[in-house]
Amino acid sequence: MSQLPETRNARTADVVDFPVAPRVRVAFGDQQSARRISLSPKYGNGPREVDVRYLWSGVADAPTVIVQGGISADRYVTAPADAAPGWWQALVGDGAAIDLARFRVLAIDWLIPAELGTSTVSSEDQADALAALLDALGIARAHAFVGSSYGAMVALAFAARHPQQTERLVLLAGAHRTHPLSTAQRSVQRGIVRLGQQSGQLDEALALARQLAMTTYRGSAEFGRRFAGDPEWRGDRFHFPVEDYLEHQGRRFVERFDAERFLALSESIDLHDVAPEQVPVPSTLIGFPSDRLVPLADLCELQRRLRGPATLEVVESPYGHDAFLKEPEQLAPLLREALR
Amino acid sequence: MSQLPETRNARTADVVDFPVAPRVRVAFGDQQSARRISLSPKYGNGPREVDVRYLWSGVADAPTVIVQGGISADRYVTAPADAAPGWWQALVGDGAAIDLARFRVLAIDWLIPAELGTSTVSSEDQADALAALLDALGIARAHAFVGSSYGAMVALAFAARHPQQTERLVLLAGAHRTHPLSTAQRSVQRGIVRLGQQSGQLDEALALARQLAMTTYRGSAEFGRRFAGDPEWRGDRFHFPVEDYLEHQGRRFVERFDAERFLALSESIDLHDVAPEQVPVPSTLIGFPSDRLVPLADLCELQRRLRGPATLEVVESPYGHDAFLKEPEQLAPLLREALR
C-alpha cells in the first residue's frame, strides 16, 4: 500500500490502496484508482515514482478522452455512483456532449510538489504523468485531450511532449502562457497565503486569496448585475452585497483545499510556457470575450502559432473565465463537433 | 494651535499652525495652510469642528479651480517652492492646462474618520469640507471643480449639495457610484489590511493591498507589454517580472500612507452613491476605455442621467484608470477647453 498525500476532498479520502480494483462501479464502468508511474519532474533531480489518482469512466473498450479542469478541479469530472455531482457533470455523462456511451473519460487529480519531492510542479509534470498513465492503462492513444483553464495548459504541454498519444486537443480558456496581469493577480493571492503562513492565520488567508481569485473568474457585467445593491451596516462595519458572495466562496474553498496545494498549483499556472510551434496535434480552441484572466487575444495568438490545424470558437457569455463551467448549453455542440 | 492628526507624508508634517500665514510663497502666491471649519459628518452625531489642510496656488484674485485626485493624492496638486513635484504637476502650473497665471488652484488633504470623530468618512463629508473652506476663504463660487477618481466622486457630491458653489464640473475616471467588481477588489484589499492588523503584520499587509490595487489601476495591455519576461529563480522561489514592480509599489506606499487612512478612504469610495439627477451643474466627463476600475459604461450612464448639460470625452490610453495621471498631453486640450 502506498502513502498518498492527504487532501481535504472527502471524495478522495477513501482511495488510498495501490494498486486496487475499482471500488465503485456504475452502469458504464467507472474505475477510480491509483497507479504508480515513473516521472522526471522538471524541477526535480531525476526519475521519481509517483502515485497518480485517476477516474476512468464510460463503456469498456471505447476510445478514451482525457478531461482536465482548473487547479481546484479534481478527477471527479463526472460523479461515481452515489457521489456528489462531478465538476463537469453537465457535459460528461451518458448521452451528454462527452458521451460515456461512446467514450471513456480519464481524469487525474493534479500532482503537487510533495508527491514529486520538489518545491515546484510544472504543467509538463502533469502532462508526463498523464502520458505515463495512458501507458500503464494500455491506452495507446487518446481520442482527445479536453482541457479547461490549467487543464488546457497541461493539454498543450502533453501535445508538445507526447504528440503521438492524443489525436486532438480541445482547449477552453487556457493558452500557451499566462498574461502578466493574471500573473500579478495570482502573485498577490500567493502573497496573501504566505502572509497567513507567517502569522498562523492560514484559513483566513487562504479564504481571502480565494476571494481575490473569484474577482478574476467572473465577467465584469455579471458582477454589476448581481451585486448592485446597497451596503448594510452590521455593527462592525458596512458590508457590501458582493462581500457575502466572496466570503461564502472563501469559506467553501478552505473546507476542501489546503494552502500548499494552492500555492503550488497557482505558481504552476504562471510558470507554464509552451511554444505553440511545437504542438502538431489538431486543436479546437474555445475562448470567451468576457474572460479577463485569459484574454481572447492570447487564444488568437495561440491559434496563429500552433503547428497543427487549429479552430478558434468564440463563445459570448457573461461568466468570464468561469464560462467553461457555466455555459454547458453553448459548449455542448462545440464539444460534440470537436470530438466527432 | 490645533491638533492635526499625524500623517506619514513628510510634506504635510510642518503645517500644524492654525490659522497661519502662508509659510511658503512662490512667484504666483501659494498658500499652504489649515482652516477650521464646521461640518456635520454623514455618519456622525451632529456638527464637528475640523481643520482642513489646503493648498491654494496661483495669482491672487483669479478665479479658483478646485482640483482633487485619488485617495492617495494630497493637496500638493502642484509643488510649493523647492518641494517635490505635485501629483498633477504636468497639468497644473504657470502656462499649463490649468494655468496658474489665470486660475488659483485649491486642493485639500482628504479628511479621515479620526478627524471627524466617526468610524466612516463619506464623499459628502469631503464635499461639505470643501464648500465650507470656500466660504472661509471668501470664495463665493469656484470657476470649476476638477476631480479625478475619488476626487470626481467628491465633485459630484459637491455639486449635488452645493450647486451654487461651482460653475462647472470636470470629472475624470470617476462616477456616481462604484462598480460591484471594483468594490469586490477593494473589499479584498481591506481584508488584507485587516488580516495584517490582527496579526501585527501591518506594513506587509498594507503593501500587499497596494499591490492588489496596482493590478486594478493599469490597463491589461500595458501589463502585457511591460512584464512579458521569464521568471527567475532566486533561491526562495520563482519571481515573475511583474512582481518586482508590484513589490516596489507596495513598499513605496507603506512609506507614505497608513493603514487606517487606507481603510477609511477605500471604504469611502465604495459607499459613494450620488443621484446624477440631483446634479444641475454643467459637466465635462473624461473616461478611458482601458479603465477596468471605472468602466466607461458607468460614465455613459452618468452622462445620460446628469440634470445639467454633460459632455463625455473618451480618451484612448493603455494606462487604464491611471490615465488621469499618465496622459497629460491628451488631457491638456480637454482641460483647457472645459475651463474656458
Side-chain angles (χ1 to χ4, degrees):
Chain A
M1 177 171 155
S2 68
Q3 290 296 313
L4 287 178
E6 278 186 25
T7 82
R8 295 198 186 188
N9 191 322
R11 293 188 301 195
T12 67
D14 61 341
V15 185
V16 291
D17 312 280
F18 170 81
V20 291
R23 299 178 66 134
V24 179
R25 280 199 183 275
V26 293
F28 41 76
D30 272 6
Q31 276 191 36
Q32 45 178 344
S33 188
R35 282 286 170 128
R36 174 155 296 180
I37 56 105
S38 180
L39 185 68
S40 291
K42 181 171 183 178
Y43 303 106
N45 302 308
R48 171 102 180 176
E49 303 274 290
V50 184
D51 296 322
V52 178
R53 293 183 302 281
Y54 67 92
L55 180 73
W56 196 17
S57 301
V59 282
D61 304 324
T64 289
V65 175
I66 304 170
V67 177
Q68 295 289 144
I71 61 168
S72 63
D74 58 19
R75 60 182 148 156
Y76 294 98
V77 174
T78 184
D82 302 327
W87 63 263
W88 234 22
Q89 192 76 35
L91 287 164
V92 179
D94 223 354
I98 302 179
D99 186 352
L100 294 180
R102 293 182 55 219
F103 299 113
R104 293 188 93 170
V105 162
L106 179 66
I108 65 167
D109 287 349
W110 295 126
L111 296 176
I112 56 171
E115 294 165 291
L116 300 176
T118 59
S119 60
T120 307
V121 60
S122 68
S123 54
E124 292 98 323
D125 298 338
Q126 315 283 6
D128 289 355
L130 276 157
L133 181 63
L134 289 186
D135 288 341
L137 297 174
I139 304 166
R141 190 177 169 91
H143 179 70
F145 191 140
V146 182
S148 297
S149 191
Y150 184 55
M153 299 176 184
V154 172
L156 279 166
F158 182 96
R161 298 165 70 82
H162 312 282
Q164 300 308 319
Q165 287 189 265
T166 187
E167 288 177 28
R168 57 182 64 76
L169 297 181
V170 184
L171 310 174
L172 299 92
H176 48 297
R177 56 166 180 74
T178 62
H179 192 281
L181 177 56
S182 305
T183 298
Q185 292 163 335
R186 275 185 296 267
S187 166
V188 176
Q189 292 166 38
R190 296 192 290 272
I192 296 169
V193 173
R194 287 196 301 268
L195 196 68
Q197 284 178 326
Q198 289 157 22
S199 68
Q201 295 171 300
L202 208 47
D203 283 357
E204 296 88 334
L206 186 60
L208 202 53
R210 179 64 170 185
Q211 289 189 34
L212 174 51
M214 297 307 297
T215 70
T216 68
Y217 291 154
R218 294 292 172 91
S220 172
E222 201 221 351
F223 270 95
R225 195 171 44 245
R226 279 178 73 182
F227 305 113
D230 290 327
E232 192 183 302
W233 176 260
R234 293 189 197 153
D236 58 337
R237 61 177 176 87
F238 283 97
H239 290 253
F240 297 89
V242 72
E243 294 184 308
D244 290 335
Y245 163 77
L246 294 177
E247 287 162 15
H248 173 73
Q249 296 291 337
R251 280 190 302 269
R252 274 186 53 194
F253 191 67
V254 169
E255 288 165 10
R256 68 186 182 89
F257 228 76
D258 64 72
E260 287 297 344
R261 169 175 286 265
F262 175 78
L263 286 176
L265 294 175
S266 169
E267 179 189 53
S268 188
I269 294 175
D270 289 318
L271 290 171
H272 169 74
D273 190 359
V274 166
E277 295 76 9
Q278 292 175 5
V279 178
V281 176
S283 305
T284 302
L285 282 51
I286 301 178
F288 311 103
S290 62
D291 186 345
R292 291 172 291 113
L293 204 57
V294 181
L296 194 59
D298 288 1
L299 291 191
C300 294
E301 181 188 328
L302 174 60
Q303 184 198 16
R304 277 197 309 274
R305 292 177 51 190
L306 280 167
R307 176 138 56 102
T311 311
L312 172 60
E313 303 282 355
V314 176
V315 175
E316 292 291 341
S317 164
Y319 293 112
H321 189 68
D322 273 359
F324 79 88
L325 296 168
K326 299 283 289 180
E327 295 285 3
E329 296 190 2
Q330 289 202 71
L331 295 177
L334 300 178
L335 292 175
R336 284 185 200 276
E337 174 66 25
L339 297 182
R340 185 167 301 178
Chain B
M1 179 173 154
S2 67
Q3 290 295 313
L4 287 180
E6 279 185 25
T7 82
R8 294 198 187 188
N9 191 321
R11 293 189 301 195
T12 67
D14 61 341
V15 185
V16 290
D17 312 281
F18 171 79
V20 290
R23 298 178 66 137
V24 177
R25 280 197 182 277
V26 293
F28 41 77
D30 272 6
Q31 276 191 36
Q32 45 178 341
S33 187
R35 282 285 171 128
R36 174 154 295 179
I37 56 106
S38 181
L39 185 66
S40 291
K42 181 173 183 178
Y43 302 105
N45 302 306
R48 170 100 180 179
E49 304 273 291
V50 184
D51 297 321
V52 178
R53 293 183 302 280
Y54 67 91
L55 181 73
W56 197 16
S57 301
V59 282
D61 304 324
T64 289
V65 174
I66 304 170
V67 177
Q68 295 289 144
I71 62 168
S72 62
D74 58 18
R75 61 182 147 156
Y76 294 98
V77 173
T78 184
D82 301 327
W87 63 264
W88 233 21
Q89 193 76 36
L91 287 164
V92 179
D94 222 354
I98 302 179
D99 186 352
L100 293 179
R102 292 183 55 219
F103 299 114
R104 293 188 92 169
V105 161
L106 178 67
I108 66 167
D109 286 349
W110 297 125
L111 295 175
I112 57 171
E115 293 165 293
L116 301 176
T118 60
S119 60
T120 308
V121 60
S122 68
S123 55
E124 291 98 322
D125 297 339
Q126 314 284 4
D128 289 356
L130 277 158
L133 181 63
L134 289 186
D135 287 341
L137 297 175
I139 304 166
R141 189 177 170 90
H143 179 71
F145 190 140
V146 182
S148 298
S149 192
Y150 183 56
M153 299 177 184
V154 171
L156 279 166
F158 182 97
R161 298 165 70 82
H162 311 283
Q164 300 309 317
Q165 287 189 264
T166 187
E167 287 177 30
R168 57 184 62 77
L169 297 180
V170 184
L171 309 174
L172 299 92
H176 49 298
R177 57 166 180 72
T178 61
H179 192 282
L181 177 56
S182 306
T183 298
Q185 292 163 334
R186 274 185 297 266
S187 166
V188 176
Q189 291 166 38
R190 295 192 292 271
I192 297 169
V193 173
R194 287 197 300 268
L195 196 69
Q197 285 179 325
Q198 289 157 23
S199 68
Q201 295 170 299
L202 208 49
D203 283 358
E204 296 87 336
L206 186 61
L208 202 52
R210 178 64 170 185
Q211 290 189 34
L212 173 50
M214 297 307 298
T215 69
T216 69
Y217 292 155
R218 293 292 170 90
S220 172
E222 200 220 352
F223 270 96
R225 195 172 42 245
R226 279 178 73 182
F227 305 114
D230 290 327
E232 191 183 302
W233 176 260
R234 293 192 197 149
D236 58 338
R237 60 176 177 87
F238 284 97
H239 291 252
F240 297 89
V242 71
E243 293 185 308
D244 290 334
Y245 164 78
L246 294 177
E247 287 161 15
H248 174 73
Q249 296 291 335
R251 280 190 301 270
R252 274 186 53 194
F253 191 67
V254 169
E255 288 165 9
R256 67 187 183 90
F257 228 76
D258 65 72
E260 288 297 344
R261 168 175 286 264
F262 175 77
L263 286 176
L265 294 176
S266 169
E267 180 188 52
S268 188
I269 293 174
D270 289 319
L271 291 170
H272 169 75
D273 190 358
V274 166
E277 294 78 7
Q278 292 175 3
V279 177
V281 175
S283 304
T284 301
L285 282 51
I286 301 177
F288 311 102
S290 62
D291 186 345
R292 291 171 292 114
L293 205 58
V294 181
L296 195 59
D298 287 2
L299 291 191
C300 294
E301 181 188 328
L302 173 60
Q303 185 198 17
R304 278 196 308 275
R305 291 177 53 190
L306 279 167
R307 177 139 56 102
T311 310
L312 172 60
E313 303 282 355
V314 175
V315 175
E316 293 291 341
S317 164
Y319 293 112
H321 188 68
D322 273 358
F324 79 88
L325 295 168
K326 299 282 291 180
E327 294 285 3
E329 295 190 3
Q330 289 202 70
L331 295 177
L334 299 178
L335 291 175
R336 285 184 201 275
E337 174 66 24
L339 297 181
R340 186 168 300 176

